[in-house]
Amino acid sequence: MKNVISIFFLIILVGCSKTEKAEIPQGKMVDILYDLTVSSSARSTANRRDTIQYVVDYKQILKKHGIDSLKFVKAQKIYQQDPDVYAVIYDSVNKRIQKKLEEVRATEPDKEEEKLRPLMNVKDFKSLRRNKE
């Protein structure tokens, strides 16, 4: 009888200590979180009048990566249980965003922007107007 009880407790102990493994690998999780972060940032600046934004819904991002929202939420909960792994994931996302930001800042402005600048500034226009009078 004691053997049966000890085996039963051993089975329960092993069953409870089993850790779940996320269905989404860390690298893919970094890609998904990067895309979601960029999309979220675009959404927050979309109200500005002087910008053109292409806002992507989070469902489209998850679809692009071939997962559904349930898998994403489960994977995120599993990664949150291990703070060290979760920190590595978010550090990777942050580094990727910083790298992209540096790339954008390093590019030269388009020649189209120069074409859009006015040919005359306001002072030239006022002086031209005075000369006509």
Side-chain angles (χ1 to χ4, degrees):
M1 182 73 174
K2 288 183 180 181
N3 288 338
V4 173
I5 293 175
S6 61
I7 291 174
F8 179 72
F9 281 120
L10 183 63
I11 291 173
I12 290 176
L13 182 65
V14 170
C16 292
S17 67
K18 182 181 174 186
T19 58
E20 278 189 88
K21 187 174 179 181
E23 292 182 39
I24 303 171
Q26 282 185 3
K28 191 169 188 174
M29 194 69 170
V30 169
D31 294 340
I32 295 167
L33 289 172
Y34 171 79
D35 289 344
L36 288 171
T37 304
V38 170
S39 175
S40 175
S41 298
R43 205 174 283 118
S44 69
T45 61
N47 295 338
R48 295 184 181 173
R49 294 177 65 180
D50 62 340
T51 60
I52 298 173
Q53 297 292 329
Y54 299 99
V55 179
V56 179
D57 188 37
Y58 77 94
K59 291 177 186 177
Q60 292 174 326
I61 293 171
L62 295 178
K63 186 177 178 182
K64 170 187 163 189
H65 291 282
I67 62 166
D68 60 0
S69 58
L70 184 61
K71 281 184 185 177
F72 176 73
V73 170
K74 282 183 179 179
Q76 194 159 13
K77 283 184 180 181
I78 291 169
Y79 285 126
Q80 285 174 349
Q81 291 174 355
D82 188 354
D84 294 331
V85 173
Y86 204 55
V88 168
I89 290 172
Y90 270 94
D91 285 343
S92 299
V93 171
N94 189 29
K95 287 177 186 175
R96 196 165 165 189
I97 289 172
Q98 291 300 322
K99 182 179 177 184
K100 186 67 174 178
L101 185 60
E102 290 171 5
E103 287 176 14
V104 169
R105 287 181 176 162
T107 59
E108 293 183 22
D110 291 338
K111 298 296 179 187
E112 291 295 320
E113 286 183 21
E114 292 178 15
K115 291 179 185 177
L116 295 175
R117 291 185 184 161
L119 298 174
M120 285 192 255
N121 60 27
V122 176
K123 291 178 184 177
D124 293 336
F125 183 73
K126 286 180 181 179
S127 65
L128 180 65
R129 201 168 163 199
R130 278 189 227 137
N131 291 339
K132 282 187 177 183
E133 293 176 356

